Amino acid sequence: MVLITPKLPITHVLFDMDGLLLDTERLYTVCQQQVLDAFGKTFTWELKAKLMGSTTQGTAEIVVRDLDLPISTDEYIERTKFVYDQNFHKAELLPGVDRLVRHLHRHKVPIAIATSSSRSSYDLKTLRHREFFDLFDHQVLGSDDPEVKFGKPAPDIFLVCASRFPNAPTDFSSVLVFEDAPMGVEAAIAAGMPVVMVPDPRVEGPILDKPNLVLTSLEDFKPELFGLPAIDI
C-alpha cells in the first residue's frame, strides 16, 4: 500500500456506487450472461473490464458492437433492464462501506454519490438500503443527468457532483473520490481530484499506479491519511 499524498487536506468526498458501495458488479455479470445466452455469447472478464463505469447507453453500444449482436442498442437495453429488474434489489453493501460512510456523516464531512446508473437502476439497487443512502448529501446519476455531457473517463460526473454541494469546494484537489473502475479513476484524475481505488482483484496494469491509494477493501481505509477524522476502533 503506497500512498501518494494529496496536495490539500480533504474537505469533500465522492463515492462511485457499483462495485464500490454495493456488490452489483457480481449481479451485473449474472444479468449480462442471461441476456447473452440467447445469442450463444459469453460475458467475459475482458468485456466486463471495458464496461466498468460506463453509462447504460455506452454499455449497450460496446456489447452490441464487440459481440456483433443481431439487435439494436435500444433492444439490448430493454432486454437487460428486464433482467436487472429481477435481480438488482438483491444488492448488498460491501465490507467496510457502512462503517466508513456513517463515520464521515457523523463528523459532518460532505459526501455524495457519483454513479453512471440511471434513476430507475439506482432506485432498484438501493431499495433495501434507503436509510443508508439517505446519509449522502446528494447523488448524480450519469445516465440521466443532463449536466453530465460525457460519461467516464470524462471528468463531467465528478465535476457536476462536487459543484452541487451547498458549500461547494473552491479547489477540486480537496475532493477525494472513491472508485473501483479504471474508467472512474481516469475520470477523477481528469477532474483534478485525488482518488482511492478499490479494484476488482483481476484488474492489473498501469492503471494501478495512477490512484493516490489502492486498497483491497474499504475496511482498510484510514481517513487520517487524507486529513479526515480517524475512525475510532
Side-chain angles (χ1 to χ4, degrees):
M1 181 177 72
V2 178
L3 171 68
I4 302 174
T5 305
K7 292 190 298 182
L8 295 174
I10 298 304
T11 59
H12 300 69
V13 180
L14 306 182
F15 290 86
D16 176 48
M17 184 175 71
D18 292 306
L20 180 84
L21 301 179
L22 293 171
D23 69 342
T24 42
E25 290 300 339
R26 172 184 60 83
L27 297 174
Y28 267 118
T29 299
V30 171
C31 293
Q32 292 281 355
Q33 189 56 60
Q34 277 188 247
V35 173
L36 294 177
D37 281 344
F39 305 100
K41 304 287 187 177
T42 301
F43 189 64
T44 64
W45 162 248
E46 290 73 23
L47 179 56
K48 179 176 181 175
K50 286 186 183 181
L51 306 178
M52 294 174 71
S54 183
T55 62
T56 301
Q57 183 68 31
T59 292
E61 289 173 357
I62 293 170
V63 173
V64 170
R65 181 195 67 219
D66 284 17
L67 296 183
D68 194 26
L69 299 183
I71 55 175
S72 67
T73 55
D74 286 344
E75 184 176 348
Y76 188 80
I77 289 171
E78 284 302 312
R79 288 181 180 232
T80 53
K81 184 180 183 303
F82 176 78
V83 180
Y84 291 164
D85 287 348
Q86 296 174 319
N87 288 276
F88 276 166
H89 66 281
K90 303 172 186 175
E92 297 288 353
L93 295 176
L94 285 164
V97 166
D98 188 80
R99 184 181 72 150
L100 174 59
V101 169
R102 291 186 188 280
H103 168 76
L104 296 175
H105 181 265
R106 186 166 59 252
H107 286 274
K108 303 189 185 308
V109 177
I111 53 177
I113 291 174
T115 174
S116 298
S117 293
S118 64
R119 167 57 64 184
S120 60
S121 177
Y122 174 87
D123 288 345
L124 193 59
K125 294 168 187 172
T126 62
L127 184 63
R128 297 173 56 240
H129 309 284
R130 289 287 164 80
E131 181 269 336
F132 170 81
F133 281 94
D134 283 344
L135 298 173
F136 292 89
D137 292 76
H138 58 273
Q139 62 279 144
V140 172
L141 309 176
S143 288
D144 288 347
D145 197 304
E147 289 190 44
V148 180
K149 304 298 184 185
F150 299 99
K152 302 171 185 178
D156 300 36
I157 193 167
F158 293 127
L159 296 174
V160 169
C161 195
S163 71
R164 289 186 183 169
F165 286 109
N167 59 336
T170 56
D171 188 327
F172 289 132
S173 63
S174 67
V175 181
L176 180 63
V177 173
F178 285 92
E179 262 287 354
D180 70 304
M183 284 202 295
V185 169
E186 298 283 9
I189 292 170
M193 300 174 183
V195 57
V196 173
M197 187 184 196
V198 189
D200 184 291
R202 292 168 290 185
V203 172
E204 56 186 18
I207 189 63
L208 296 177
D209 296 325
K210 295 185 177 184
N212 294 73
L213 185 64
V214 178
L215 300 174
T216 57
S217 168
L218 281 181
E219 290 180 302
D220 302 325
F221 180 67
K222 299 185 185 306
E224 62 271 25
L225 296 178
F226 290 85
L228 294 165
I231 296 177
D232 298 325
I233 303 300

